[in-house]
Amino acid sequence: MIGPFLNAGAILGGGLAGGFAGHRLPERVRKGLPSVFGLVAMGIGVALTVKAEHFSVIVLSLVLGTFLGEWMDLQEFVHRVAHRVQGWVPQGQGGEASDEEIDRTAAAFSSLIVLFCASSTGFVGALREGLSGDSSLLFAKSILDLFTALVFAVTVGYNVALLAIPVLLIEGALVLGAHHLAAHFSQALIVDTSACGGIILVGTGFRILDIKPIRVINMLPALLLMSPIAALMAWLVH
């Protein structure tokens, strides 16, 4: 199992490098970069969404997932975690983060969770390695994630490196359970799950750009509901 460790290591390295370089950049650069992140998130989100095959499954997952996320108030939970994390990692010269910076961190984390943990490249790459031992797709994803983590960590800080943990756990589980999961994860489901994540990324872009404060973190449970809802819809149709 090489790919998951390689991918997690790339995120860890990129997050640490970006966090180290962030406070050494001029303030105008650090303040200008979030606009780029917002536009990139929206661009990637649109690119993923247009590939969707079953919009009814995606819409139902988003509705039910957002209802569940609002009921659990995941947004507030992530904010509390972000406040704690700010005390675990070096803060540089900036001191304690403001509420606005915490909110920006939470919005960035929601987009990174989708990019790192819920991309079709990660799903397919992990399943491919588990079934055939071919880790080339995860290797390619690792290169992309390395630079993504580095760029985001310039403003978010060392916290980005912590996302290496869920990536390792998710991709590792997919590799180890590939033979069992392959029967349940069709190519269409993987594409639709990525499209669902793409819609969440568009919402994240709106939030980062301060266009509309969409509570995107409360939408994340939709990603977990895609598989059971797709199975239910297929059963109802047949």
Side-chain angles (χ1 to χ4, degrees), residues 105-186:
T105 298
F109 260 69
S110 67
S111 63
L112 289 174
I113 288 171
V114 175
L115 286 172
F116 291 159
C117 305
S119 70
S120 58
T121 306
F123 279 122
V124 175
L127 290 175
R128 177 183 293 182
E129 180 171 348
L131 292 172
S132 65
D134 180 8
S135 59
S136 59
L137 198 55
L138 285 183
F139 178 75
K141 180 177 183 292
S142 299
I143 296 175
L144 176 63
D145 288 354
L146 169 66
F147 290 101
T148 302
L150 190 153
V151 171
F152 268 86
V154 167
T155 55
V156 177
Y158 293 102
N159 305 334
V160 172
L162 297 177
L163 291 175
I165 298 174
V167 167
L168 178 60
L169 294 176
I170 292 172
E171 292 182 356
L174 288 172
V175 170
L176 295 176
H179 288 280
H180 174 71
L181 293 172
H184 303 282
F185 281 82
S186 64

Side-chain angles (χ1 to χ4, degrees), residues 15-226:
L16 293 177
F20 176 79
H23 293 292
R24 290 161 176 75
L25 293 175
E27 185 178 1
R28 64 181 181 277
V29 175
R30 286 185 281 115
K31 286 187 175 181
L33 283 176
S35 297
V36 177
F37 301 156
L39 292 172
V40 170
M42 294 180 72
I44 295 175
V46 171
L48 292 174
T49 303
V50 296
K51 299 178 181 179
E53 296 187 21
H54 303 94
F55 266 105
S56 58
V57 175
I58 296 172
V59 171
L60 186 56
S61 297
L62 283 170
V63 171
L64 295 179
T66 302
F67 174 83
L68 182 61
E70 291 289 350
W71 181 64
M72 297 171 64
D73 201 3
L74 291 179
Q75 186 96 7
E76 180 59 28
F77 172 76
V78 170
H79 275 251
R80 290 199 302 267
V81 171
H83 274 287
R84 287 192 176 187
V85 169
Q86 289 291 339
W88 297 345
V89 296
Q91 298 301 315
Q93 298 177 350
E96 185 177 354
S98 65
D99 287 339
E100 182 180 353
E101 291 170 331
I102 292 293
D103 186 71
R104 192 183 300 276
T105 298
F109 260 69
S110 67
S111 63
L112 289 174
I113 288 171
V114 175
L115 286 172
F116 291 159
C117 305
S119 70
S120 58
T121 306
F123 279 122
V124 175
L127 290 175
R128 177 183 293 182
E129 180 171 348
L131 292 172
S132 65
D134 180 8
S135 59
S136 59
L137 198 55
L138 285 183
F139 178 75
K141 180 177 183 292
S142 299
I143 296 175
L144 176 63
D145 288 354
L146 169 66
F147 290 101
T148 302
L150 190 153
V151 171
F152 268 86
V154 167
T155 55
V156 177
Y158 293 102
N159 305 334
V160 172
L162 297 177
L163 291 175
I165 298 174
V167 167
L168 178 60
L169 294 176
I170 292 172
E171 292 182 356
L174 288 172
V175 170
L176 295 176
H179 288 280
H180 174 71
L181 293 172
H184 303 282
F185 281 82
S186 64
Q187 182 64 33
L189 177 58
I190 293 173
V191 170
D192 287 342
T193 301
S194 294
C196 181
I199 294 175
I200 296 175
L201 278 176
V202 173
T204 300
F206 274 100
R207 186 177 187 88
I208 294 177
L209 293 171
D210 293 326
I211 297 175
K212 185 174 179 61
I214 300 173
R215 295 164 61 87
V216 290
I217 295 175
N218 288 345
M219 300 169 68
L220 293 178
L223 297 172
L224 301 177
L225 295 178
M226 283 293 300

